[in-house]
Amino acid sequence: MRRQGMILQVSTLLAVILLFGLGPFFYDNESVLFEGMMYLALAQGVNVLYGFTGYLPFGYVGFFGAGAYGASLAMLDWHVSPLFGVLLGGLTAAVVGLILSPLLRLSGAYFAIGSLAASQIIYYIVSNPNMQSLTNGPYGIDLSSVFNDVFSYFTMFAIALLATAFVIYLRHSNFGMSLLALRDDPVSASMSGIPVLRIRTLAWLVSAFMAGVVGATYGWHISVFYPNSVFNLTISIFAIVFTLFGGRATAVGPLVGTVLLYGVYTFIGVSSPQYFQLIYGLLIVALVLFLPRGVVSLFTRIKAGTRKQGGDVLAQ
């Protein structure tokens, strides 16, 4: 069983490497590959929070935008290197997460709505014309002086790979097991000695940091962006849907969800948006009705059925 799990994890990392690391050599649309990596990394970040703690962050894009602005302002005002700027973007998002940590006192729909409201507050603060001296207000950021599409592409590739590896680590670490325990029953987890508030806050901050570095790298890659582009709620929705579609609390689930759904969006949604909306809606309805635990659970069912048939044969 452990050997099969190890094979699946190694296969997941190899899939990320083959799809996105070698993708530019076989597929000439670099922007599609870049955004695919971006959504994979964001989906893994959502996975850390929602998959392992049960907190659904509708306002996850707030960390993404905070990271984009934190990194960009550090590059422009402090003239730091882009890589160090990306790290500062992640730290900026983590600081924002620390400020917003009282949201963790909420649960369920209240937390989801609260996080959404918080992301909108951050957006209005950043885009306020009175903040032009600090954030340039609604007039956006220009990073053309440090633009490097190749370097930023492989930085995003490294982030997506590390994010996937981190989720694999969570699946087998005491930290990850503790998160799953408090997700399923926080009262019992607390009674068994798990520091619920501390590890829940840590997962929240790690998830925020992941979104921050992704947002920072995205801003660096496109070089010119505006508040409404990095605080677009569609970013949150896509990351959440990709995670749910593939399967939460697994490393392969967000990868499967991103490849399948973002592939549908790329090849159908751009050219025929009316068909894309229909197909997307049908996929989500089918998921809720037949695979509430995501596409990955289908493979688990098949494996369990195969094992059961093998046991029946042996019994005969």
Side-chain angles (χ1 to χ4, degrees), residues 52 70 132 151 199 204 223-224 237 244 257 261 271 301 312:
F52 286 86
Q132 185 175 352
F151 199 10
I199 66 170
W204 166 255
S223 74
V224 177
I237 294 170
L244 294 177
L261 292 186
S271 58
R301 292 183 187 179
D312 292 341

Side-chain angles (χ1 to χ4, degrees), residues 86-108:
V86 167
L87 179 61
L88 290 177
L91 293 175
T92 301
V95 170
V96 172
L98 188 61
I99 295 171
L100 297 177
S101 59
L103 286 172
L104 295 173
R105 296 179 181 273
L106 304 174
S107 61

Side-chain angles (χ1 to χ4, degrees), residues 223-249:
S223 74
V224 177
F225 61 89
Y226 297 89
N228 58 356
S229 61
V230 294
F231 288 98
N232 190 336
L233 292 177
T234 303
I235 295 174
S236 282
I237 294 170
F238 272 27
I240 291 170
V241 170
F242 294 166
T243 304
L244 294 177
F245 185 85
R248 63 173 182 161

Side-chain angles (χ1 to χ4, degrees), residues 254-272:
L255 175 62
V256 171
T258 301
V259 171
L260 291 180
L261 292 186
Y262 190 68
V264 171
Y265 171 76
T266 301
F267 293 107
I268 299 177
V270 175
S271 58
S272 304

Side-chain angles (χ1 to χ4, degrees), residues 56-232:
L56 186 60
F58 280 168
Y60 196 57
V61 69
F63 297 135
F64 180 89
Y69 267 87
S72 300
L73 296 176
M75 293 181 207
L76 294 175
D77 297 339
W78 298 345
H79 306 289
V80 302
S81 66
L83 282 181
F84 189 52
V86 167
L87 179 61
L88 290 177
L91 293 175
T92 301
V95 170
V96 172
L98 188 61
I99 295 171
L100 297 177
S101 59
L103 286 172
L104 295 173
R105 296 179 181 273
L106 304 174
S107 61
Y110 298 103
F111 172 81
I113 295 171
S115 68
L116 179 61
S119 70
Q120 290 301 288
I121 290 171
I122 298 171
Y123 163 70
Y124 285 117
I125 291 174
V126 169
S127 62
N128 192 325
N130 295 324
M131 296 291 290
Q132 185 175 352
S133 60
L134 180 61
T135 65
N136 208 29
Y139 307 108
I141 297 290
D142 184 356
L143 290 176
S144 56
S145 60
V146 294
F147 174 72
N148 190 322
D149 57 339
V150 176
F151 199 10
S152 58
Y153 178 93
F154 284 102
T155 299
M156 186 66 83
F157 167 68
I159 292 170
L161 192 63
L162 289 173
T164 304
F166 180 73
V167 173
I168 291 174
Y169 158 76
L170 277 185
R171 288 285 302 171
H172 300 280
S173 68
N174 291 333
F175 177 48
M177 294 299 104
S178 298
L179 290 174
L180 290 174
L182 72 88
R183 181 197 72 182
D184 295 335
D185 192 340
V187 176
S188 298
S190 178
M191 292 179 64
S192 64
I194 296 175
V196 172
L197 180 60
R198 184 169 60 189
I199 66 170
R200 182 183 288 164
T201 303
L202 184 57
W204 166 255
L205 296 179
V206 169
S207 180
F209 178 84
M210 292 170 70
V213 294
V214 174
T217 308
Y218 173 78
W220 174 28
H221 184 77
I222 65 173
S223 74
V224 177
F225 61 89
Y226 297 89
N228 58 356
S229 61
V230 294
F231 288 98
N232 190 336

